[in-house]
């Protein structure tokens, strides 16, 4: 574990302990339906087994009884949120409970009228998916999307914010990095500035159900390619020059103490009401969840601990099975705190840090990730 990771984890723990709401986020899937057929999406490759549906507003309202416990409500899963007819009502309900509300969209249904309503309802963050800095590249990956329409929709949203003198929603372009579009990332930085968005985020293709999709990923299970590192540095440099906030995920794997979708403080609710630790453990398809991990094929069972349409959420959260799953992650955090807690926040002694790293690695090996998480790229910082 790198020293910088230790510092970040200590900072994370300190900030989280200061929060008044125990959950970081409720991620709720409005729908598993989508009008696109993106080449990297499991809906495209698993279409014969895909279960399409919308979350009933009554189920959303049941979940909302506990919104006072979460900081954020993120309206996104495996489908396109704007296909749900009650999406604006969901935003309104979550905002009324004092939650930050965010969503991710492919942007094709982001009409001027809908953009104006999102501003009026107080949506805090909207992430809009982009798969290339050119029409040809984007449309080859996000099949059914129209590059020019997407950019027009984004620009109109930005203009409406200015017209209505609103700081929200924060507009983020979410660039999915693949081997077929990585060369265009520096151009995507410049494109983001031209559209007037607040931020550009370069994300990894972190779930790959087939070998063909796995071959698209740019990150490495070993050492990242120098060529790819150079492209990322060029994009970062360009972002600094034009002063555009830019986040880029690492392209080299390293096991982390806690993945980004922290199962201790984040919950995923599927469109059918089922409750899971994260979106990757609850794919809306029949049968097991297929995946490629570092060249090996595997299947894991869908992991659900109850259904919010049938049971009270707190009852599900406190069920023995869910608690046992979370215990693994709590143990890992305890190991980390025990290993580094005795050090000062500014410790720079190389020998002490190296010794702590060895102890941490050894103790974590005796407390491995849950079976369903060991073959997930998110557990390795991707």
């Amino acid at each position: 574990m790198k020293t910088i990771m230790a510092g970040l984890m200590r900072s994370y723990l300190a900030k989280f302990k200061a929060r008044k709401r125990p959950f970081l986020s409720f991620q709720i899937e409005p729908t598993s339906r989508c009008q696109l057929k993106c080449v990297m999406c499991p809906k495209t490759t698993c279409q014969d087994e895909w279960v399409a549906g919308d979350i009933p507003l009554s189920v959303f309202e049941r979940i909302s009884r506990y919104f006072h416990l979460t900081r954020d409500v993120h309206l996104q899963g495996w489908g396109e949120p704007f296909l749900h007819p009650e999406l604006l009502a969901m935003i309104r309900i979550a905002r009324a409970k004092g939650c930050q509300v965010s969503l991710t969209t492919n942007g094709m249904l982001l009409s001027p009228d809908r953009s104006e309503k999102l501003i009026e309802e107080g949506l805090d963050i909207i992430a809009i998916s982009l798969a290339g800095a050119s029409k040809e590249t984007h449309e080859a990956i996000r099949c059914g999307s129209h590059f020019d329409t997407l950019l027009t929709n984004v620009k109109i949203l930005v203009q409406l914010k200015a017209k209505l003198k609103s700081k929200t929603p924060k507009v983020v372009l979410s660039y999915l990095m693949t081997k077929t579009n990585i060369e265009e990332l520096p151009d995507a930085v410049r494109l983001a500035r031209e559209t007037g968005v607040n931020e550009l985020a370069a994300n990894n293709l972190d779930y790959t159900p087939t070998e063909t999709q796995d071959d698209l990923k740019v990150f490495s299970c070993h050492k990242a390619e120098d060529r790819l590192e150079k492209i990322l540095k060029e994009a970062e440099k360009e972002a600094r020059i034009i002063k555009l906030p830019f986040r880029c995920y690492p392209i080299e794997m390293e096991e982390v103490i806690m993945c980004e979708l922290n199962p201790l403080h984040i919950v995923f609710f599927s469109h059918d009401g089922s409750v899971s630790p994260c979106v990757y453990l609850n794919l809306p398809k029949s049968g097991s969840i297929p995946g490629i991990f570092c060249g090996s094929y595997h299947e894991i069972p869908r992991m659900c601990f109850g259904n919010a349409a049938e049971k009270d959420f707190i009852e599900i959260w406190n069920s023995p099975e869910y608690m046992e799953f979370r215990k693994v992650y709590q143990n890992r955090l305890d190991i980390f705190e025990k290993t580094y807690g005795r050090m000062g926040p500014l410790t720079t002694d190389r020998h002490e840090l190296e010794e702590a790293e060895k102890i941490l690695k050894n103790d974590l090996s005796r407390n491995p990730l849950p079976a369903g998480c060991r073959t997930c790229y998110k557990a390795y910082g991707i």
Side-chain angles (χ1 to χ4, degrees):
M1 191 66 56
K2 292 182 173 61
T3 304
I4 188 171
M5 182 60 71
L8 289 172
M9 279 300 299
R10 276 181 283 186
S11 175
Y12 155 76
L13 290 170
K15 288 180 180 178
F16 183 77
K17 287 176 180 177
R19 295 187 188 281
K20 294 181 179 179
R21 299 189 177 204
F23 290 97
L24 289 172
S25 180
F26 281 3
Q27 181 178 354
I28 303 176
E29 179 179 62
T31 179
S32 61
R33 298 182 295 121
C34 185
Q35 77 277 38
L36 304 186
K37 292 185 177 180
C38 303
V39 298
M40 69 288 175
C41 183
K43 175 181 170 294
T44 303
T45 54
C46 304
Q47 56 184 334
D48 293 337
E49 303 170 298
W50 199 256
V51 179
D54 297 354
I55 190 170
L57 187 60
S58 60
V59 175
F60 184 89
E61 289 173 333
R62 278 177 62 93
I63 299 169
S64 75
R65 297 173 189 171
Y66 296 99
F67 281 0
H68 65 285
L69 299 177
T70 185
R71 176 175 177 267
D72 173 80
V73 172
H74 185 52
L75 300 172
Q76 188 260 339
W78 293 103
E80 168 50 47
F82 285 124
L83 288 175
H84 197 295
E86 302 288 351
L87 183 68
L88 289 174
M90 294 179 191
I91 295 171
R92 193 177 307 122
I93 291 168
R95 286 290 297 155
K97 293 296 182 75
C99 299
Q100 172 178 277
V101 186
S102 56
L103 63 82
T104 301
T105 173
N106 61 42
M108 293 309 298
L109 300 176
L110 192 62
S111 64
D113 179 62
R114 182 167 279 132
S115 288
E116 188 166 350
K117 288 179 179 177
L118 291 176
I119 296 170
E120 291 172 353
E121 294 295 347
L123 180 69
D124 292 283
I125 304 171
I126 182 169
I128 303 164
S129 300
L130 182 69
S134 67
K135 177 182 175 69
E136 294 73 22
T137 301
H138 173 83
E139 294 182 2
I141 296 172
R142 293 195 170 274
C143 303
S145 177
H146 301 287
F147 184 73
D148 294 335
T149 300
L150 174 64
L151 293 185
T152 297
N153 290 347
V154 174
K155 290 176 181 177
I156 289 175
L157 171 58
V158 172
Q159 290 166 3
L160 282 170
K161 280 179 57 182
K163 178 182 177 181
L164 298 174
K165 297 180 180 180
S166 175
K167 293 182 178 180
T168 58
K170 175 182 179 181
V171 184
V172 180
L173 276 186
S174 180
Y175 192 92
L176 182 69
M177 297 184 290
T178 69
K179 286 181 179 175
T180 55
N181 72 11
I182 190 64
E183 300 279 355
E184 295 183 10
L185 184 56
D187 290 331
V189 171
R190 290 182 280 271
L191 181 64
R193 171 55 72 199
E194 291 171 10
T195 57
V197 301
N198 300 106
E199 182 179 305
L200 175 69
N203 307 304
N204 279 306
L205 177 55
D206 48 33
Y207 170 62
T208 54
T210 69
E211 289 185 8
T212 300
Q213 290 165 319
D214 197 62
D215 286 341
L216 288 173
K217 70 183 190 302
V218 297
F219 64 88
S220 172
C221 294
H222 305 290
K223 189 180 184 310
E225 293 181 33
D226 291 340
R227 179 183 67 87
L228 299 178
E229 290 276 20
K230 185 177 179 180
I231 293 172
L232 297 190
K233 288 179 181 177
E234 182 184 346
E236 290 168 352
K237 180 181 178 180
E238 181 64 24
R240 284 195 301 272
I241 292 172
I242 63 177
K243 298 181 180 179
L244 175 77
F246 175 59
R247 291 185 293 119
C248 185
Y249 280 69
I251 59 171
E252 194 169 293
M253 287 173 52
E254 180 186 17
E255 184 177 344
V256 294
I257 303 296
M258 180 69 64
C259 85
E260 185 180 35
L261 300 178
N262 182 342
L264 293 180
H265 304 292
I266 297 176
V267 185
F268 174 65
F269 299 85
S270 180
H271 75 278
D272 61 5
S274 57
V275 180
S276 301
C278 77
V279 66
Y280 299 99
L281 292 172
N282 197 350
L283 203 67
K285 65 177 288 295
S286 58
S288 57
I289 301 174
I292 304 293
F293 180 76
C294 293
S296 298
Y297 178 80
H298 63 90
E299 291 187 7
I300 61 171
R302 189 180 181 201
M303 186 179 290
C304 305
F305 293 104
N307 195 298
E310 303 163 357
K311 268 188 177 183
D312 182 81
F313 165 65
I314 293 300
E315 184 181 350
I316 296 171
W317 177 255
N318 290 328
S319 66
E321 297 81 10
Y322 206 164
M323 290 177 70
E324 188 64 25
F325 175 86
R326 298 197 305 274
K327 184 178 177 181
V328 175
Y329 283 97
Q330 186 59 60
N331 287 343
R332 290 170 68 83
L333 278 182
D334 291 343
I335 290 169
F336 176 85
E337 287 193 298
K338 180 181 177 182
T339 305
Y340 286 99
R342 64 180 182 274
M343 296 182 183
L346 300 177
T347 299
T348 58
D349 183 273
R350 180 175 293 277
H351 175 73
E352 187 178 7
L353 290 168
E354 288 178 352
E355 186 62 26
E357 186 175 335
K358 288 178 183 178
I359 294 172
L360 181 64
K361 185 175 181 181
N362 183 59
D363 287 349
L364 287 179
S365 69
R366 297 199 299 267
N367 292 268
L369 293 161
C373 301
R374 292 171 204 165
T375 52
C376 176
Y377 289 126
K378 298 298 287 185
Y380 301 87
I382 295 303

